[in-house]
Amino acid sequence: MSSLLATIAIIVLLTVFSYFVVREENKLKSSSVVFLVMLMLFSSTLSTEWSRMTSELVEEAEDPHYGLPDIWDGKQVVCFHFSSESAPPGFNDGRHHIDSDGTDFKTDKNWNTTGACVGGFEGYNIGIDLLNAAVSVTGDNFVLNVTDYGELGLFVNSIGGINPCEQGPCGDNIWTSWKFLHNGVLSFSGISALTLDDDSVITFQIVTETW
């Protein structure tokens, strides 16, 4: 919303400026040309910001994109879910939606967890590449700490500084760790081996298991 208003303000200011700096007989023509040129230059930005502002959340519960902005339909998404007590700073007020350029444009305060979904990605084939892309555009908010076990794959120790064993029990017969779902189903493939769909949704959440 702020980006949209800023873009409109720039167009208006430049148009007004051009009106007052030219000779009287050319004022209307000059300002009209500047206005049209600015619209052409900023048309992509205006379209993107308008789409974000007017987007709605997908309501079909059986859709892997359920609860996500409809502008991400057909695109890839990574979600990080936390409890309100354990979310990274700034993400404990609901589930944030962050576009692939890093813009945080919508927060669902009614979602049953806090955290963020980072989406709008295209063309990723392997889970780890999509995950790294999502982490990258959010700066340090969801930085990963992982252990590489070679052929066994990667083990996620913490996300955004949140260690599962500090949020739940870890002992001989019980363990709390990060698990991830692919399109709403618990994945049995490691993140470094997961083959993605064009519209994959990967969700990381803390799970406690006993055995």
Side-chain angles (χ1 to χ4, degrees), residues 5-204:
L5 292 177
T7 301
I8 294 174
I10 291 172
I11 294 174
V12 171
L13 288 173
L14 289 175
T15 302
V16 172
F17 177 76
S18 68
Y19 180 83
F20 286 105
V21 298
V22 299
R23 299 175 60 179
E24 185 67 32
E25 61 270 22
N26 294 323
K27 284 183 181 294
L28 184 59
K29 180 185 293 185
S30 175
S31 59
S32 297
V33 169
V34 170
F35 180 73
L36 290 174
V37 170
M38 289 299 101
L39 278 182
M40 292 175 62
L41 290 175
F42 288 103
S43 61
S44 177
T45 299
L46 289 169
S47 176
T48 298
E49 293 301 328
W50 180 255
S51 296
R52 288 169 175 165
M53 188 175 70
T54 58
S55 65
E56 297 182 353
L57 303 179
V58 175
E59 296 182 349
E60 292 76 18
E62 68 279 2
D63 190 330
H65 280 246
Y66 171 62
L68 298 175
D70 54 12
I71 59 172
W72 289 347
D73 281 351
K75 297 185 179 181
Q76 297 166 325
V77 183
V78 178
C79 293
F80 305 102
H81 288 171
F82 307 84
S83 67
S84 58
E85 296 79 17
S86 66
F91 292 94
N92 61 353
D93 59 343
R95 187 167 76 161
H96 291 239
H97 298 103
I98 303 172
D99 221 347
S100 57
D101 65 354
T103 301
D104 187 341
F105 67 96
K106 184 186 289 288
T107 300
D108 183 1
K109 297 183 181 297
N110 297 318
W111 193 253
N112 57 11
T113 62
T114 63
C117 292
V118 190
F121 296 101
E122 296 179 284
Y124 288 94
N125 299 312
I126 303 299
I128 187 60
D129 295 331
L130 176 60
L131 175 59
N132 285 333
V135 170
S136 176
V137 301
T138 59
D140 295 332
N141 289 316
F142 302 104
V143 63
L144 297 174
N145 180 292
V146 301
T147 300
D148 189 346
Y149 288 100
E151 294 182 358
L152 296 177
L154 300 177
F155 181 81
V156 178
N157 300 310
S158 67
I159 297 176
I162 306 302
N163 186 325
C165 284
E166 297 175 356
Q167 308 303 319
C170 287
D172 293 336
N173 300 311
I174 189 168
W175 196 260
T176 304
S177 63
W178 284 105
K179 299 293 184 183
F180 74 95
L181 289 72
H182 182 213
N183 293 334
V185 179
L186 188 65
S187 176
F188 292 100
S189 295
I191 189 65
S192 56
L194 178 66
T195 300
L196 301 175
D197 302 322
D198 292 339
D199 60 349
S200 283
V201 177
I202 298 175
T203 303
F204 282 83

